Amino acid sequence: MTGNDVVLVLVVVTALGFDFTNGFHDTGNAMATSIVTGALPPRVAVAISAVLNLVGAFLSTAVAATIASGLVNSQDVTLTVVMAGLTGSILWNLATWYLGIPSSSSHALIGGVVGATIAAAGASAVKWQGLVGKVIVPAALSPFIAGAVSALGTHLVYRLTRRVAEGPQRHGFRLGQVGSACMVSLAHGTNDAQKTMGVITLALIANGTLQSGASAPTWVIGSCAVAIALGTYIGGWRVIRALGKGLVEIDPPQGMASESASAAVILSSTDFGYSLSTTHVATGSILGAGVGRKGAVVRWHIAHRMVAAWLFTLPAAAVVGALAYWVANGIGGTAGVAVIFAVLVLASIAFWFASRRPAVTPENVNATWTGSVVPAAPTDEVPQ
């Protein structure tokens, strides 16, 4: 293999690694409410979500085209730029997952790539109109649209079923939750898996393997679908807990309304090729479900913390992406990319070990919310 081939392999492996983190970081978008209401057992929920993410990845490539050619000038992008951009996005994903903040994997990826591109070729290499029109504007509007749809849906389902006995009502809505959660998982696959397809396609164009404007090859689509499905199956329990227990106290009717709203907004955006953040949509929908039910508990201070993370995602990932590019370019060649890859692997291992002390697991993800993503240690154990 030539040095360029080694770099291309490292870039593709890193991109699939990002897709894996995207899967476990965003599992809560689809399944948090179903898990917290008991509509689905935690492990069953993530397994179903993984399968539907896999299927959804094959249904459309409109978003992949936006990432590959709609945000930066592909002729200004090198393999080092792509590698640096992925580094920024993965590190942001891992940091926010560790803290239990449901930030946008999509915006982390876009921010990382844009930051690395600016470091390499200047601001003129960014297609600012595409960035604003396809990313920033949908990011600003989508939580409000999803929240409004969810609030209206929540109000209507409670009003229409107010005379139905509680037992049949809860059973029916839990079944409805399963269906709506499945739709969100399918929608997530159609939108989020494509972002990594677009980045790998961009790398192949930069390497000269594909012509500018080419669509994602079949092997890219398949590998990205598998990577995001595996990540989803791992289950991002820290983010699932934050969304399901920390934001709003959810009942089955609210869960069904919020998930239905999320699926509708995500699928609509995918059809138009908008690189939408499913995290923004899901969070807006859950908040809308809280607003739509009279007397529901909404923890606005946690919502404010999440919004702050959203505002920092694009610029923070861009800064890390730019720094990673300057380091790799300073070292030069294959060695520079290999150093970044090694640092990324070590950082990933460090985050994983830190998350185990203590760990959020399927067994304690639904523990009573005490103000922290990490559940309180049980106090009723009898000393041996």
Side-chain angles (χ1 to χ4, degrees):
M1 296 178 69
T2 65
N4 218 43
D5 290 335
V6 172
V7 172
L8 180 61
V9 170
L10 289 177
V11 169
V12 171
V13 169
T14 305
L16 293 177
F18 166 80
D19 212 20
F20 181 82
T21 69
N22 192 168
F24 71 71
H25 196 285
D26 288 6
T27 308
N29 297 342
M31 290 298 175
T33 58
S34 293
I35 290 171
V36 77
T37 62
L40 286 169
R43 294 190 186 279
V44 173
V46 296
I48 293 173
S49 186
V51 171
L52 290 171
N53 267 280
L54 178 69
V55 174
F58 290 94
L59 297 183
S60 171
T61 57
V63 175
T66 296
I67 299 295
S69 60
L71 301 178
V72 295
N73 296 323
S74 56
Q75 63 267 27
D76 293 320
V77 175
T78 64
L79 290 178
T80 304
V81 167
V82 178
M83 183 69 181
L86 287 167
T87 300
S89 60
I90 291 175
L91 289 177
W92 182 258
N93 261 5
L94 291 174
T96 50
W97 160 75
Y98 174 72
L99 295 172
I101 301 174
S103 68
S104 171
S105 298
S106 311
H107 293 170
L109 177 61
I110 293 166
V113 171
V114 167
T117 301
I118 292 174
S124 61
V126 179
K127 297 181 179 179
W128 295 105
Q129 185 175 359
L131 180 65
V132 172
K134 292 282 189 177
V135 178
I136 295 177
V137 171
L141 296 179
S142 60
F144 295 99
I145 295 172
V149 173
S150 179
L152 177 61
T154 300
H155 174 74
L156 289 176
V157 295
Y158 275 108
R159 184 175 180 82
L160 293 173
T161 61
R162 64 187 183 278
R163 296 181 181 175
V164 179
E166 183 178 354
Q169 184 188 105
R170 292 183 68 85
H171 178 71
F173 278 121
R174 282 185 175 180
L175 291 177
Q177 264 197 285
V178 173
S180 57
C182 289
M183 284 301 297
V184 177
S185 293
L186 190 69
H188 185 266
T190 65
N191 199 285
D192 278 49
Q194 290 183 51
K195 299 177 178 83
T196 308
M197 297 177 201
V199 168
I200 294 178
T201 303
L202 191 62
L204 293 171
I205 292 172
N207 192 52
T209 307
L210 295 176
Q211 293 183 347
S212 180
S215 58
T218 302
W219 71 267
V220 172
I221 297 173
S223 59
C224 289
V226 171
I228 199 168
L230 288 174
T232 302
Y233 182 70
I234 292 297
W237 304 110
R238 302 176 82 86
V239 178
I240 289 174
R241 177 166 168 77
L243 273 175
K245 298 294 291 186
L247 199 57
V248 177
E249 293 294 338
I250 291 285
D251 280 341
Q254 295 167 283
M256 192 188 79
S258 68
E259 288 162 355
S260 299
S262 295
V265 173
I266 294 167
L267 288 172
S268 298
S269 71
T270 299
D271 189 52
F272 288 105
Y274 293 128
S275 180
L276 199 66
S277 166
T278 54
T279 301
H280 291 190
V281 173
T283 306
S285 295
I286 291 173
L287 285 171
V291 172
R293 181 193 174 193
K294 186 177 180 180
V297 176
V298 180
R299 299 185 180 95
W300 290 107
H301 65 286
I302 295 178
H304 294 159
R305 181 184 179 213
M306 293 177 181
V307 171
W310 297 353
L311 295 175
F312 279 108
T313 295
L314 271 168
V319 168
V320 177
L323 291 173
Y325 174 79
W326 286 324
V327 170
N329 192 57
I331 297 172
T334 304
V337 173
V339 166
I340 290 181
F341 182 79
V343 170
L344 190 56
V345 170
L346 291 174
S348 301
I349 293 172
F351 272 114
W352 185 83
F353 274 110
S355 74
R356 309 310 295 169
R357 302 187 180 93
V360 181
T361 67
E363 289 71 34
N364 64 15
V365 70
N366 274 340
T368 302
W369 183 261
T370 58
S372 170
V373 69
V374 179
T379 58
D380 56 350
E381 294 180 358
V382 178
Q384 300 296 321

